[in-house]
Amino acid sequence: MDVIKTEIIYKSYHGIDSLPALEKNLMLAAMQAAQSAYAPYSSFFVGAAAQLENGTIVLGSNQENAAYPSSLCAERVALFSVGAQHPDIPVVAIAVTAFMGNLDNQHPVSPCGACRQVMSEFEHRYGKPVKMIMMASPNQIIVLESVKQLLPFTFNSDSMKST
Ligand code: THU
């Protein structure tokens, strides 16, 4: 039996102004996207912004439903919209942020497991890493170079190939 320790690598920035231009621009877009969240049940307003390789930014926000499981997270709204509108263009980065109660109260957010899986599919589909930018606290922003950092031992189509 072996016990194996692994590590994740991320960058931590203090304040949105300390981010490089692409990351800052994308986080500002995610903050804007949160304004269109439909979150009457949780009052947790999430915004996501996906940056495509050609420079296009596609926004998403969480869309809730009275039948709770019918809701969808901001990240998947953005990414499925990319898949529907720009199926041939790889995603290079996604930013996510959240506000609690109202849009003045910024809140930390880290993508749920289902969203990580969907992001991972985008990486696998295009063979390119998707950079993740997330607000960890109102003044701390975390940048990861790939979804793999947040989802090791990923399940993808290779997992179903016979050996
Ligand atoms: N939510 C997202 O949109 N993204 C996340 O990464 C975490 C959670 C949404 C789902 C639900 O509408 C609300 O936040 C509370 O869970």
Side-chain angles (χ1 to χ4, degrees):
M1 193 269 280
D2 299 314
V3 176
I4 295 151
K5 195 175 162 190
T6 186
E7 62 180 15
I8 70 162
I9 298 170
Y10 63 90
K11 293 180 186 152
S12 176
Y13 292 89
H14 300 281
I16 194 163
D17 290 331
S18 66
L19 286 170
L22 181 145
E23 286 83 344
K24 178 180 173 182
N25 193 33
L26 208 55
M27 184 52 81
L28 288 171
M31 291 167 80
Q32 182 205 328
Q35 295 185 21
S36 69
Y38 176 65
Y41 305 105
S42 70
S43 295
F44 196 62
F45 304 93
V46 187
Q51 171 100 43
L52 310 191
E53 202 175 52
N54 68 359
T56 303
I57 292 177
V58 176
L59 303 182
S61 57
N62 54 329
Q63 300 296 318
E64 297 185 349
N65 194 282
Y68 291 6
S70 306
S71 309
L72 199 60
C73 292
E75 297 92 321
R76 275 176 287 164
V77 170
L79 288 174
F80 291 152
S81 180
V82 170
Q85 296 180 71
H86 309 277
D88 300 323
I89 307 173
V91 175
V92 295
I94 184 163
V96 56
T97 189
F99 297 85
M100 184 98 209
N102 60 58
L103 291 170
D104 294 327
N105 180 11
Q106 200 154 21
H107 216 266
V109 67
S110 174
C112 75
C115 288
R116 293 177 197 199
Q117 181 66 29
V118 169
M119 290 176 199
S120 168
E121 182 83 18
F122 272 76
E123 283 197 341
H124 192 68
R125 179 171 170 181
Y126 299 106
K128 298 195 170 177
V130 176
K131 184 182 285 199
M132 298 180 58
I133 304 135
M134 58 202 197
M135 199 70 87
S137 74
N139 212 27
Q140 188 198 12
I141 298 131
I142 285 177
V143 178
L144 302 109
E145 292 301 318
S146 162
V147 180
K148 288 192 176 71
Q149 295 297 318
L150 281 187
L151 193 64
F153 296 101
T154 313
F155 177 79
N156 60 38
S157 59
D158 291 344
S159 316
M160 294 182 283
K161 286 189 180 137
S162 50
T163 49

